[in-house]
Amino acid sequence: MSAGPVFSGQPGQTRTPLRVMDGRTWPALLATTLLVGASPALANEPAPAAATPASQIAATGTASQDYVGREEFEWVQKVLQAQQRKLAEQEEYLQQYSDMVKIQQEQLDSYVAQMKRLSAAVTPGSQTWPQEQPRFFRAVYKETPPPDGQQIAQVTGEVEKPLPEITIIRDKGGALLPQGQMVIEPSFSFTFSQVNRVEIAGFSLLPAILIGQFELTESRRNTFTVANTVRLGVTNDFEVELRVPYVFRDDEITSRPFGTGSAQDTTRALSDSNLGDIEFAGHYQINRGLNDWPIFIGNFRFKTRTGEDPFEVARDQNGQELELPTGSGFYSLQPSITAILPTDPAVLFANLSYTFNLERDVGGTFGDVDSGDVFGANFGAGIALNERTSISLGYEHSVVGKTEQNGSDVPGSDTLQVGSFLFGGSFRLNDRVSFNVTTSLGATEDAPDTEILVRIPISLSVF
């Protein structure tokens, strides 16, 4: 069965017959018509002028005499070219979507791998996240308006990256543990301080001329502290901490009295060891650090007086200690806030704290004693050298108030300025264990000369 003539053109125009080669021409013509109607740009394409008068079509009346004019062919060619450009644009947009989905899939695979490591960590020997390499994530997107008003979200390229370990603010509230993560952290510290002091019993006649007795005292104090700290991530934003120290003290005091005719030095050496003051702490992450804001962490620390009390150690008839205390003798409360600002490859930090040393009725000849409150601040930066190594630099300063006894300042008690430069380093041995070293160098007269702290955090998963 032969097909009848097919006419091109629009209503109101002279229609031109198109040659019907066979039955396959109808689907092709239908597809072209649909493509033209699907695109507003193609709908505006002007129809070709008539190439053959209608009288000629009526005269011939046979399909074999129909033909496709040149103008009709050019018009169809324009339609196809416009559609190809449209398809090329769509292909470009689809490629952008594909790239975005690929990046998001890589991030999802990373999350899944981390969850698998946590699920597998049911024994101490299982592989878990290292606590000392906590992760903070920020998804950054940029809205790019492509043609035709379409909106495609494009990832700008910022990917997850671990923060370098800030070893010098660990007890001030650093990056918190994820929920169910526990860290057992054995540590060892050595502190050395040397103080030269002149004690005077008399009066001054003229500047630099003393009347009476005075004594030159040189004190050397070595303190070794072995501690075990346990931290647990209760939620992703809240962490609790327990620290149990054991203190070894070795003091040597050399004195020479002047004005008594004695030229001999008197040396007293004392050594003692005992449990120190146990501490409890909580840390809470206040915000997520989005939009280039720092991460704020609130901290609260409570120190007991489980160590040997300085008011209860044995003394001789002159009131000098025969034993060395290992505790402060006062309960204390310390609220503080820490700010951490990631600025790749460094992390800036600052901390403000205030320690309330609770007044205590010691009894005996001491009465009520208030050792004075402490205002503290520190700041610095942690810098990642590579994926396993980081260093920290900073400064810490504390202002210690005067000691009061029965409501009055103790004679000779002054406000102390304790400042120290801080240098720290961290090396991740494996996924569970890190090795951290912190050195403190005294910057003021009242500060210890030097302190070295070694910590070995071991990460576990408990729930």
Side-chain angles (χ1 to χ4, degrees):
M1 178 178 179
S2 62
V6 178
F7 299 93
S8 67
Q10 296 181 356
Q13 297 180 335
T14 303
R15 296 189 297 170
T16 304
L18 301 180
R19 183 185 301 268
V20 179
M21 301 302 299
D22 52 38
R24 290 173 295 177
T25 305
W26 286 103
L29 180 61
L30 179 60
T32 303
T33 303
L34 292 176
L35 290 175
V36 173
S39 174
L42 301 179
N44 296 326
E45 190 73 32
T52 306
S55 58
Q56 180 178 349
I57 300 174
T60 55
T62 60
S64 60
Q65 295 177 344
D66 294 341
Y67 63 93
V68 178
R70 182 177 182 83
E71 292 184 2
E72 286 82 351
F73 177 79
E74 292 178 351
W75 178 69
V76 173
Q77 190 176 34
K78 289 181 181 179
V79 168
L80 294 177
Q81 290 174 350
Q83 190 63 26
Q84 287 176 349
R85 290 194 298 269
K86 194 72 174 178
L87 291 175
E89 291 178 1
Q90 294 294 334
E91 183 178 3
E92 181 179 355
Y93 300 152
L94 289 175
Q95 183 62 42
Q96 293 177 358
Y97 276 114
S98 177
D99 293 342
M100 181 187 69
V101 171
K102 183 178 179 180
I103 294 176
Q104 293 178 343
Q105 183 63 46
E106 291 176 354
Q107 294 178 345
L108 180 60
D109 293 341
S110 175
Y111 299 150
V112 172
Q114 292 172 359
M115 292 301 298
K116 288 182 178 179
R117 288 198 296 269
L118 283 178
S119 300
V122 295
T123 63
S126 300
Q127 186 181 27
T128 63
W129 280 340
Q131 183 274 333
E132 297 306 322
Q133 294 293 333
R135 293 177 181 267
F136 289 86
F137 303 98
R138 288 191 296 170
V140 180
Y141 295 91
K142 179 181 179 182
E143 293 294 331
T144 304
D148 297 340
Q150 300 183 36
Q151 296 291 326
I152 300 178
Q154 294 179 303
V155 179
T156 61
E158 182 169 337
V159 296
E160 61 184 80
K161 192 167 186 178
L163 292 178
E165 163 65 2
I166 309 176
T167 60
I168 58 183
I169 63 165
R170 178 59 262 177
D171 61 338
K172 302 295 184 182
L176 304 187
L177 297 173
Q179 182 178 10
Q181 198 80 357
M182 174 183 285
V183 166
I184 300 175
E185 183 181 276
S187 64
F188 169 80
S189 68
F190 167 72
T191 305
F192 171 76
S193 60
Q194 178 175 329
V195 179
N196 295 323
R197 182 176 58 189
V198 176
E199 295 181 351
I200 302 172
F203 62 94
S204 175
L205 180 63
L206 292 172
I209 299 179
L210 302 174
I211 302 300
Q213 297 180 1
F214 59 96
E215 183 179 69
L216 176 64
T217 302
E218 181 183 35
S219 301
R220 292 186 178 91
R221 174 176 296 176
N222 299 304
T223 305
F224 303 85
T225 303
V226 178
N228 193 22
T229 303
V230 178
R231 295 192 297 274
L232 175 65
V234 180
T235 68
N236 289 330
D237 297 324
F238 181 62
E239 174 184 303
V240 293
E241 176 184 335
L242 169 66
R243 181 176 183 269
V244 181
Y246 195 89
V247 181
F248 300 84
R249 285 189 57 182
D250 182 16
D251 289 16
E252 184 179 284
I253 303 173
T254 301
S255 60
R256 173 181 291 183
F258 290 84
T260 62
S262 174
Q264 297 293 326
D265 291 342
T266 302
T267 301
R268 294 188 304 116
L270 298 174
S271 296
D272 212 337
S273 63
N274 210 327
L275 181 68
D277 292 337
I278 297 176
E279 300 177 14
F280 301 89
H283 310 280
Y284 180 75
Q285 183 170 324
I286 300 173
N287 67 330
R288 298 296 180 189
L290 301 178
N291 299 322
D292 295 327
W293 272 80
I295 299 167
F296 291 101
I297 299 175
N299 316 286
F300 187 83
R301 184 173 297 272
F302 170 67
K303 185 182 70 63
T304 66
R305 55 184 190 93
T306 54
E308 193 167 2
D309 201 317
F311 301 103
E312 297 177 356
V313 297
R315 298 175 181 270
D316 62 15
Q317 58 183 2
N318 297 321
Q320 295 180 332
E321 296 174 342
L322 298 177
E323 299 175 344
L324 296 176
T326 59
S328 67
F330 296 91
Y331 291 106
S332 65
L333 304 173
Q334 184 195 69
S336 68
I337 186 167
T338 301
I340 302 175
L341 179 61
T343 56
D344 191 30
V347 174
L348 306 180
F349 68 87
N351 175 270
L352 294 176
S353 65
Y354 193 90
T355 303
F356 299 90
N357 289 314
L358 305 183
E359 184 178 351
R360 175 188 172 196
D361 183 5
V362 178
T365 59
F366 294 103
D368 291 335
V369 179
D370 185 353
S371 65
D373 296 339
V374 182
F375 172 77
N378 65 24
F379 60 88
I383 304 172
L385 302 182
N386 53 49
E387 293 182 354
R388 302 178 64 184
T389 307
S390 63
I391 60 174
S392 303
L393 307 172
Y395 178 78
E396 182 175 39
H397 197 96
S398 298
V399 180
V400 184
K402 296 181 179 181
T403 300
E404 296 182 357
Q405 184 177 11
N406 297 319
S408 301
D409 292 344
V410 174
S413 174
D414 296 322
T415 300
L416 303 180
Q417 302 289 339
V418 183
S420 301
F421 294 105
L422 307 174
F423 307 91
S426 174
F427 181 75
R428 182 159 55 93
L429 300 176
N430 53 49
D431 288 340
R432 297 177 54 244
V433 183
S434 295
F435 181 82
N436 303 329
V437 178
T438 302
T439 301
S440 173
L441 300 178
T444 63
E445 183 179 353
D446 299 321
D449 294 333
T450 185
E451 179 180 2
I452 299 176
L453 172 63
V454 177
R455 299 183 294 111
I456 305 176
I458 303 171
S459 179
L460 305 172
S461 182
V462 293
F463 65 86

